[in-house]
């Protein structure tokens, strides 16, 4: 088992290096078209530009810059903004909690809703309800997330307000000036974005739960339990459900790496101050270095997440350890 | 007086971009602006064109409560001597007063100084007297030493490691800044820097007892610029929840007395729709809504929806560089430029794109400036037929596909503007359409703001650019826009427009401070530029404000929205909450 | 939304493909497809969108009589069913229906192009990696790992700001990430196929590598490509629309279903319809693509139902 884990870690190293190389190369293609400091002062003379370039370390040879870059990454320094010199890692630190709040809630929502939907569909297989649920899943997957978000905002925020009814806030994490302590306020702000984000998860996971449930219900041990006289309820909820959900957990685990980046579009539409929105804002301002710093961070998280998933599978599935 | 540009400029231009859609708000913080500073002056026209937004009230001020202002973009920092974006400048002027400030109409008003400075006859010495008993928010006295320290960072050779955007305007001009006594500051110049009074006397004065021991190099990345612990302005900084809000509290040590409000909150709002929405619900008290939301806002009874003229204009400029043969072939003929301008139905454009919150413009000066020529000539009306005729006469005949051709070259070009600004993007599409009707093919292409600025100043491969210019003060000088001095990396004359007459007039107008002498010169310049049209002016867009009725004395005007917020001391909310 | 590509990496099963994928296999698959009513209906809808995309200028010319950029500043925000504008007009008075028609060109065009390019690159890489194995395989797959580690939406945004997107560039940008999953799948198939008897035999007969790859391996992994491609189309359309919506893809005046939605909420009080039509169209197109993709997958392996 240890050998397996070690081999997985070793296999990850080239990927990490690869990620830093790719981002570094892209950064240099990009930096070529950017004049740092121009935003600060239009009067910038060539000497001043040189001075700023020296300050940012852009005049050293490539290999040296790469080593500085990867050295920084190892220590958690993902570079500085080209626009105001601020530390990317600081931005990430400021914004990560908000993103996690959103994506974790969305995943939880997804799980909590998919299971009943999937189970219902399996239990009433072939019925109108089942068909309706399947249709909803298939449909849900085709709805553009940003559009769904837009429509929800327009109805639940704008239209309801226009009609003088209580309405949901259309953006942000909390009402300003409240300091974020009020739980109800936070929930109210969280509802719409989390729902939109969970939508896609829902579609897939509910179908998956359904088929998983069907498979489990067709198993011999279920038939045995029934034959032994166990109530249908116990059969379903006590035995079948538990076994049906395990594969779902695996699937959810697959989503962990997307915890950071997955919410980008929702964050932008709902003005949720997370990492995705930060990347988008900085991209619009052509702040290449921040964009790349964030991307590197996210990529490394994905790699770490995959590694973690490998470990978990090895732990759960004995067959893998001796592969 | 000649301004080689945008010391403040970027901020101004930024501000201008600020109005419209969500994305270009996002642009603001990073995308600095090509900018031109009009320089100070009085404003006789001001009374007609603009003024304080809420009528002075006879109510006694209520103490207490908070004011929430909604803005689309977050601040970038509190870099008092470096801020490039208008949001940051806004909060900086809220927390740091300078020697002087600016009134709604653009006049200089004394803040930390007790009066406007005495200026020597040769304009090389400025003497300021500070008010007595000035204090920082921590109780420490504010003296001339702090002023000396602050300005020293911007011009002394020893401090050159500290990056300040105003350095190039002051280094080489200021010879010395001294404090003969704790209440007096003397600026000595080696050569005349006419913009000094109007542009550089508003710099926030920094606390020497906090920052004096930091090396200039280290000062660049100091925490003070994101967490100003000691201030001297109306409000002091409490906290900044990045991307969400910045919270300020009353500074009880403020020289003019403590403000009525307990708290001021700068709230970051997603976009125009949300801003308007939150104005309606009262989640924010004041804000600048988008033109598209404004009509709806006017119907809301709890809000004063105000509009007034702003010192800015939107224009498009041609690449007139002789070396660029294809652009030159198309745009070098004055009559062709006239034709293109006549083909634009500006009144209808204003209605559709600006929802009527902009006025078609004829002059390169803004109406509220004292040098504005209301009878500038020539003026252009929408005249498609006339435009067609001018083009025909100029030798551009309509080709088979409807696009004019001359000497084998099609009249086809690309028109750029900054991406993310919905109004500008719409404008170039509208212009494309209207020019198509007279046989001219324009390809609209929005590009990143940085690229746009670089194009204007260095690359020069563009053909036509649509841009906006906004001014921070009232001096009508536009050297960097229209003269040969403005060509190149430091200026804004991206057209490479060369007119010796304009050069001469513009320079002459800077040799004196007597408005009576300067005015006719500027009048003439406006007429010449209206005739030559190197950069035809399209519109003067309006400021749009939504102010909740419970807010009183929110006296924002054309020149003091972000350039100076000391007036916020008098703001109060009627319910005290 | 969540990374559409990671999610959509479809469970193309390691099915027991017959020893040699022959004509009867394909025929069986096609007849299963034909019998799938929903599949055929969605295929028809998809075809409809493709046809609209191809004939947009004609339709505009003969039916709506306007171009996608013809403005009418005096008739902005017209409601649907107003004269001459079946679905109303936008903020510059342009006809919504016409813009939807031309938007189809963008979405369908980029969609199919991106899918084809992804398949081509992915197949090439997967074939080479699977066939040669060893160091080449290791290097290529590590590279794929790197590409797949970077969140695709971040990568798209990054590339959009670096390379100004035209229709073709945007398709290439989207394809530049998608090929990774395909490469892995193809490689997997190749690994299982290359040890087969017919492969060993053909090689023993002296066939060159290229011949083996192209004439023998490729046909046997084709079904993987087809299934993946059909399932991938839907998410490409969504991704492209999202990028346009953010302003990082195709920009006006060229209409795309995504950029017609940008800023549409700003104009909500002027016309509530602007938000509706493009979204519905995207939904229908993606739905058709997804359902058809499902049908194709089912056709190649009925056991998955």
């Amino acid at each position: 088992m240890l050998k397996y884990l070690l081999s997985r870690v070793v296999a990850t190293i080239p990927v990490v290096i690869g990620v830093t190389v790719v981002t570094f190369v892209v950064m240099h293609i990009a930096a070529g078209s950017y004049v740092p400091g121009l935003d600060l002062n239009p009067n910038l003379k060539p000497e001043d530009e040189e001075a700023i370039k020296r300050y940012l370390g852009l005049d050293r040879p490539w290999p040296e810059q790469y080593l500085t870059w990867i050295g920084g990454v190892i220590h958690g320094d993902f570079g500085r903004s080209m626009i105001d010199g601020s530390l990317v890692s600081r931005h990430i630190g400021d914004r990560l909690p908000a993103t996690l709040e959103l994506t974790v809630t969305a995943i939880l929502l997804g799980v909590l809703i998919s299971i009943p939907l999937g189970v219902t569909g399996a239990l009433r297989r072939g019925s109108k309800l089942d068909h309706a649920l399947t249709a909803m899943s298939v449909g849900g997957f085709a709805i553009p997330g940003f559009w769904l978000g837009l429509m929800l905002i327009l109805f639940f925020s704008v239209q309801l307000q226009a009609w003088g009814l209580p309405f949901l806030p259309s953006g942000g994490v909390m009402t300003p000036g409240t300091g974020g302590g009020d739980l109800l306020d936070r929930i109210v702000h969280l509802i719409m974005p989390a729902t939109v984000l969970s939508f896609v998860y829902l579609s897939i996971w509910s179908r998956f739960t359904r088929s998983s449930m069907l498979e489990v219900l067709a198993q011999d041990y279920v038939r045995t339990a029934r034959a032994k006289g166990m109530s249908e309820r116990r059969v379903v909820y006590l035995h079948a459900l538990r076994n049906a959900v395990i594969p779902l957990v695996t699937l959810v685990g697959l989503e962990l790496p997307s915890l950071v980046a997955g919410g980008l579009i929702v964050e932008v539409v709902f003005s949720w101050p997370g990492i995705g929105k930060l990347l988008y804002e900085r991209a619009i301002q052509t702040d290449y270095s921040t964009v790349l710093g964030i991307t590197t961070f996210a990529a490394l998280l994905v790699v770490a997440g995959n590694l973690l998933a490998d470990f978990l599978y090895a732990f759960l599935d004995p067959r893998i350890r001796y592969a | 007086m000649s301004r080689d540009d945008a010391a403040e400029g970027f901020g101004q231009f930024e501000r201008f971009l600020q109005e419209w859609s969500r994305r270009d708000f996002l642009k603001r913080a990073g995308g600095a602006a090509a900018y031109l500073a009009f320089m100070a002056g009085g404003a006789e026209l001001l009374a007609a064109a603009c003024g304080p937004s809420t009528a002075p009230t006879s109510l006694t001020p209520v103490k207490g409560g908070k004011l929430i202002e909604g803005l689309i973009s977050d601040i970038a920092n509190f870099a008092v001597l470096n801020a490039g974006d208008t949001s940051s400048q806004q909060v900086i002027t809220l927390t740091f007063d300078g020697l002087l400030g600016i009134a709604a109409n653009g006049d200089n008003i004394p803040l930390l100084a007790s009066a406007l400075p005495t200026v020597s006859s040769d304009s090389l010495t400025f003497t300021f007297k500070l008010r007595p008993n000035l204090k920082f928010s921590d109780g420490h006295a504010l003296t001339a030493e702090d002023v000396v320290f602050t300005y020293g960072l911007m011009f002394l050779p020893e401090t050159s490691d500290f990056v300040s955007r105003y350095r190039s305007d002051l280094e080489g001009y200021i010879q010395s800044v001294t404090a003969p006594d704790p209440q007096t500051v003397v600026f000595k110049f080696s050569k005349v820097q006419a913009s000094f009074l109007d542009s550089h006397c508003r710099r926030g004065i920094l606390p020497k007892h906090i920052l004096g021991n930091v090396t200039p190099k280290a000062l660049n990345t100091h925490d003070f610029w994101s967490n100003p612990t000691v201030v001297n302005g109306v409000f002091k900084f409490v906290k900044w929840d990045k991307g969400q809000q910045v919270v300020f509290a009353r500074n009880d040590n403020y020289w003019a007395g403590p403000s009525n409000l307990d708290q001021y909150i700068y709230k970051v709002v997603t976009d125009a729709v949300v801003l308007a929405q939150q104005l309606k619900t009262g989640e924010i008290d004041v804000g600048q809504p988008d033109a598209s939301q404004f009509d709806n806002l006017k119907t809301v009874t709890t809000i004063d929806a105000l509009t007034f003229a702003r010192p800015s204009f939107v224009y498009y400029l041609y690449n007139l560089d002789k070396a660029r043969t294809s652009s030159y072939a198309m745009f070098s003929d004055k009559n062709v430029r006239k034709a293109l301008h006549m083909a634009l139905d500006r009144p209808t454009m204003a209605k559709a794109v600006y929802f009527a919150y902009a006025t078609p413009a004829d002059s390169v000066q803004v109406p509220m400036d004292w040098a504005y020529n209301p009878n500038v000539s020539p003026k252009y009306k929408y005249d498609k037929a006339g435009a067609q005729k001018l083009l025909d006469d100029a030798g551009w005949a309509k080709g088979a596909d409807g696009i004019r051709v001359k000497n084998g070259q099609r009249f086809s070009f690309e028109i750029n503007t900054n991406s993310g600004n919905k109004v500008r993007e719409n404008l170039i599409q509208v212009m494309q359409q209207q020019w198509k009707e007279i046989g001219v093919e324009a390809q609209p292409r929005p590009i990143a703001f940085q690229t746009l600025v670089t194009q204007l100043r260095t690359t020069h491969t563009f053909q036509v650019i649509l841009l906006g210019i906004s001014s921070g003060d009232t001096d009508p000088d536009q050297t960097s826009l229209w003269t040969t001095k403005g060509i190149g990396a430091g200026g804004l004359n991206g057209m490479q427009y060369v007119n010796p007459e304009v050069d001469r007039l513009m320079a002459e107008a800077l040799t004196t401070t007597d408005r009576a002498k300067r005015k006719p010169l500027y009048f003439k310049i406006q007429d010449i530029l209206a005739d030559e049209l190197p950069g035809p002016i399209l519109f003067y867009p309006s400021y749009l404000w939504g102010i909740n009725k419970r807010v009183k004395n929110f006296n924002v005007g054309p020149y003091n929205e972000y350039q100076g917020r000391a007036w916020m001391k008098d703001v109060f909310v009627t319910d005290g909450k | 939304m969540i990374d559409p590509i990671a999610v959509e990496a479809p469970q193309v099963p390691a099915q027991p493909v017959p020893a040699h994928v022959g004509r009867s296999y394909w025929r069986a698959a096609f007849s299963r497809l034909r019998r799938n009513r929903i599949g055929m209906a969605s295929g028809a809808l998809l075809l409809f969108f493709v046809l609209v995309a191809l004939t947009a200028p004609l339709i505009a010319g003969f039916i709506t009589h306007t171009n996608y950029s013809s403005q009418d500043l005096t008739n902005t925000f017209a409601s649907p069913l107003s004269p001459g504008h079946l679905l109303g007009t936008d903020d510059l008075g342009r006809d919504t229906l016409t813009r939807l028609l031309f938007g189809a060109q963008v979405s369908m065009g980029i969609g199919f192009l991106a899918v084809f390019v992804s398949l081509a690159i992915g197949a090439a890489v997967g074939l080479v990696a699977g066939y040669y194995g060893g160091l080449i395989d290791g290097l290529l797959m590590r590279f794929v790992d790197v590409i797949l580690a970077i969140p695709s939406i971040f990568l798209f945004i990054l590339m959009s700001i670096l390379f100004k997107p035209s229709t073709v560039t945007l398709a290439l940008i989207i394809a530049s990430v998608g090929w990774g999953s395909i490469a892995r799948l193809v490689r997997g198939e190749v690994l299982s196929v290359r040890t087969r008897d017919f492969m060993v035999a053909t090689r023993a007969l002296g066939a060159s590598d290229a011949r083996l790859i192209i004439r023998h391996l490729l046909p046997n992994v084709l079904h993987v490509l087809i299934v993946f491609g059909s399932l991938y189309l839907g998410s490409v359309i969504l991704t492209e629309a999202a990028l346009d919506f953010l302003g990082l893809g195709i920009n006006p005046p060229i209409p795309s279903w995504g950029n017609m939605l940008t800023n549409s909420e700003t104009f909500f009080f002027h016309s509530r319809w602007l938000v509706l039509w493009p979204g519905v169209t995207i939904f229908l197109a993606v739905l058709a693509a997804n359902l058809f993709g499902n049908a194709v997958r089912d056709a190649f392996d009925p056991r998955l139902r």
Side-chain angles (χ1 to χ4, degrees), chain A residues 62-83:
Chain A
W62 276 49
E64 191 182 326
Q65 285 191 53
Y66 175 66
L67 286 173
T68 321
W69 168 238
I70 196 169
V73 167
I74 293 177
H75 287 105
D77 173 11
F78 291 95
R80 288 181 172 275
S81 161
M82 267 172 168
I83 290 181

Side-chain angles (χ1 to χ4, degrees), chain C residues 266-291:
Chain C
T266 328
F267 300 124
F268 185 61
F269 287 116
H270 297 270
S271 165
R272 289 181 164 77
W273 300 101
L274 288 181
V275 198
L276 189 64
W277 305 122
V280 168
T281 321
I282 298 175
F283 171 67
L284 288 175
V286 174
L287 188 65
N290 283 347
L291 287 174

Side-chain angles (χ1 to χ4, degrees), chain B residues 169-455:
Chain B
D169 285 322
L170 297 174
E171 193 174 35
Y173 288 91
I174 299 186
Q175 197 172 41
S176 70
V177 180
T178 49
D181 64 67
Q183 299 299 116
T184 312
V185 186
V186 179
F187 290 82
K188 268 215 172 55
F189 285 81
S190 50
K191 40 188 181 183
V192 176
Q193 200 343 346
S195 66
F196 176 70
L197 193 62
D198 297 309
S199 302
H200 296 285
C201 293
R202 299 205 296 271
R203 303 286 160 250
I205 301 302
L206 298 170
K208 183 173 178 185
H209 62 286
I210 303 277
L211 298 175
N213 289 328
V214 184
T215 64
K217 186 144 198 238
L219 205 54
N220 284 320
T221 46
H222 201 278
D223 271 338
F224 191 79
W225 310 127
S226 50
N227 181 11
T229 42
V230 171
V231 302
N232 63 28
V234 183
F235 289 99
K236 55 184 183 202
F237 171 75
V238 175
K239 68 168 173 175
W240 178 12
D241 294 321
K242 297 248 176 91
Q244 295 174 50
Q245 61 180 3
V246 193
V247 181
F248 300 86
R250 173 176 56 231
N251 174 8
D252 291 306
N253 283 325
Y254 186 53
W255 63 266
S259 61
N260 296 320
L261 293 169
D262 290 329
Q263 256 194 345
Y264 165 78
I265 300 180
Y266 176 118
K267 181 182 176 186
V268 181
V269 158
T270 332
D271 58 39
V273 174
V274 175
L275 189 120
Q277 244 202 316
Q278 297 193 349
L279 271 176
K280 284 190 236 169
T281 57
E283 259 177 272
I284 58 179
D285 297 306
V286 299
Q288 294 182 60
D290 191 288
S292 58
Q293 309 298 313
F294 203 68
D295 287 324
N296 182 269
L297 271 181
K298 286 207 278 206
T299 62
V300 178
T301 50
T302 52
I303 299 182
D304 282 324
L306 294 153
T307 138
F308 49 89
R310 21 173 341 175
S312 68
F313 58 75
V314 174
Y315 74 127
Y316 61 102
L317 52 110
Y318 299 101
N319 191 335
L320 297 172
D321 186 356
K322 284 202 181 68
R324 311 278 166 195
T325 39
S326 67
S327 315
Y328 196 69
M330 288 186 283
F331 308 128
S332 55
D333 183 342
K334 184 166 83 171
N335 287 331
V336 169
R337 301 200 291 268
K338 286 185 195 259
L340 288 177
H341 202 51
M342 285 157 65
L344 297 176
D345 183 0
R346 286 174 290 141
T348 316
M349 279 159 76
K351 274 212 213 76
V353 180
Y354 285 91
F355 295 91
Y357 293 109
T359 334
D362 292 302
S363 162
V364 300
Q365 292 292 349
V366 291
M368 61 214 57
D369 197 284
W370 54 267
Y372 172 70
N373 180 356
N375 299 315
V376 63
S377 161
K379 288 191 178 154
Y380 299 90
K381 278 202 164 31
Y382 176 49
D383 181 2
K384 230 166 64 171
Q388 308 249 40
K389 180 155 188 336
L390 279 175
L391 286 174
D392 288 330
D393 290 344
W396 289 93
K398 276 210 180 150
D401 59 355
I403 303 301
R404 296 175 180 273
V405 184
K406 179 177 172 187
N407 298 333
Q409 179 184 355
R410 290 175 83 239
F411 206 133
S412 169
F413 57 88
E414 194 178 89
I415 174 168
N416 306 114
T417 192
N418 46 298
S419 52
N421 185 324
K422 177 71 173 175
V423 170
R424 302 267 172 84
E425 287 180 14
N426 270 1
L427 266 182
I428 53 178
Q429 288 175 61
V430 172
M431 288 159 83
Q432 170 196 43
Q433 192 63 19
Q434 304 199 338
W435 279 334
K436 187 156 157 210
E437 290 172 22
I438 58 165
V440 169
E441 182 181 69
Q443 310 277 13
R445 194 157 82 81
I447 58 184
F449 190 68
Q450 258 258 337
T451 324
L452 203 66
V453 176
T454 317
Q455 274 281 352

Side-chain angles (χ1 to χ4, degrees), chain A residues 35 38-43 45 55 83 90 94 157-158 161 167 170 174 176-177 271 273 280-281 284-285, chain B residues 4-6 10 23 26-27 30 32 165 168 221 223 242 244-245 267 270 274 277 280-281 450 457 489-490:
Chain A
V35 178
L38 186 66
D39 297 347
L40 281 180
N41 187 353
N43 276 342
K45 309 187 195 70
Y55 173 64
I83 290 181
R90 223 204 215 156
D94 288 335
S157 282
V158 182
Q161 183 195 27
F167 61 97
S170 55
M174 61 181 109
S271 197
Y280 174 65
E281 286 168 3
I284 299 277
Q285 297 166 38
Chain B
D4 239 315
D5 211 77
F10 277 21
R23 284 201 307 289
L26 295 172
K27 279 203 95 60
R165 47 201 308 249
S168 31
T221 46
D223 271 338
K242 297 248 176 91
Q244 295 174 50
Q245 61 180 3
K267 181 182 176 186
T270 332
V274 175
Q277 244 202 316
K280 284 190 236 169
T281 57
Q450 258 258 337
R457 318 172 106 205

Side-chain angles (χ1 to χ4, degrees), chain B residues 127-146:
Chain B
T127 309
F128 287 89
K129 285 257 179 267
L130 295 179
R131 294 180 195 270
N133 298 324
L134 291 174
K135 287 201 179 65
F136 281 102
S137 55
D138 61 352
H140 199 274
L142 195 162
T143 67
E145 285 306 317
D146 297 295

Side-chain angles (χ1 to χ4, degrees), chain B residues 27-202:
Chain B
K27 279 203 95 60
R28 282 202 301 127
Y35 149 93
L36 167 77
F38 301 106
M39 302 268 287
E44 302 97 87
L45 285 165
L46 187 70
C50 54
S53 43
T54 49
T57 178
S58 56
L59 294 174
T60 32
V62 174
K63 302 271 179 208
K66 61 178 189 276
L67 180 79
I68 305 181
E69 180 168 353
L71 291 106
I72 308 266
S73 169
D74 193 9
I75 66 173
N77 50 45
F78 285 89
V80 177
L81 301 181
N82 246 329
D85 67 299
T86 49
S87 308
S88 301
Q89 287 196 346
Q90 184 171 321
V91 297
I92 287 171
T93 58
L94 205 55
T95 45
F96 289 94
D97 273 6
L99 290 167
L100 302 177
I102 192 166
N105 61 6
D107 285 341
N108 286 318
I109 46 178
L111 289 183
L112 293 178
S114 55
L116 293 181
T118 38
V119 185
S120 63
S121 48
D122 58 3
S123 296
L124 291 176
T125 309
F126 290 75
T127 309
F128 287 89
K129 285 257 179 267
L130 295 179
R131 294 180 195 270
N133 298 324
L134 291 174
K135 287 201 179 65
F136 281 102
S137 55
D138 61 352
H140 199 274
L142 195 162
T143 67
E145 285 306 317
D146 297 295
V147 181
V148 172
F149 167 67
T150 306
Y151 281 89
L153 288 172
M154 290 189 277
F155 80 94
L156 287 174
E158 306 85 271
T159 58
S160 60
D161 277 339
F162 175 68
V163 179
S164 164
R165 47 201 308 249
Y166 308 115
R167 180 168 278 268
S168 31
D169 285 322
L170 297 174
E171 193 174 35
Y173 288 91
I174 299 186
Q175 197 172 41
S176 70
V177 180
T178 49
D181 64 67
Q183 299 299 116
T184 312
V185 186
V186 179
F187 290 82
K188 268 215 172 55
F189 285 81
S190 50
K191 40 188 181 183
V192 176
Q193 200 343 346
S195 66
F196 176 70
L197 193 62
D198 297 309
S199 302
H200 296 285
C201 293
R202 299 205 296 271

